[in-house]
Amino acid sequence: MEPYQIEHLVEVIGSDGQIDQIYNYLVYKFQDSGAYVWARAYLDDMGTVSIFGPFKTETDLTPVENSSLVNGVIEYMKMRYPNLQAFGPNGYVKIP
């Protein structure tokens, strides 16, 4: 399993010409068998990646079941990051 797209994004948040926060991160996008999963890793904490999904599509974030896609994303991310977490209904959960 490999991402079909990796984006490098920077968000600058501030007001009145002052920078309050800068978010510098990578977004990995995966799809397979009618499902979509994405993951985010902040570049100031390159040891952790957060996985979101599976969803129906990139634009329709209706949750779906697709354990093979999720397992493939986890295996891909384990080769790159020592700490994995998934976002669910009760917040972030560490992936062993």
Side-chain angles (χ1 to χ4, degrees):
M1 176 67 53
E2 292 195 11
Y4 69 86
Q5 184 177 35
I6 302 173
E7 294 180 297
H8 175 210
L9 301 168
V10 177
E11 292 181 44
V12 179
I13 299 171
S15 59
D16 299 324
Q18 299 293 319
I19 296 174
D20 296 322
Q21 297 175 322
I22 298 175
Y23 295 104
N24 186 9
Y25 57 98
L26 299 175
V27 174
Y28 298 82
K29 297 179 180 184
F30 301 84
Q31 64 184 23
D32 186 43
S33 303
Y36 167 76
V37 169
W38 68 280
R40 176 177 53 215
Y42 289 100
L43 296 179
D44 63 346
D45 182 12
M46 283 302 295
T48 301
V49 65
S50 303
I51 300 170
F52 302 84
F55 304 109
K56 194 169 189 178
T57 68
E58 186 174 348
T59 56
D60 181 350
L61 300 181
T62 303
V64 297
E65 291 293 323
N66 192 317
S67 59
S68 64
L69 174 58
V70 172
N71 291 337
V73 170
I74 289 170
E75 291 307 311
Y76 177 87
M77 290 301 175
K78 280 184 176 180
M79 293 186 292
R80 288 154 180 82
Y81 297 94
N83 302 309
L84 281 69
Q85 59 187 14
F87 188 76
N90 298 316
Y92 289 98
V93 176
K94 184 175 177 69
I95 299 172

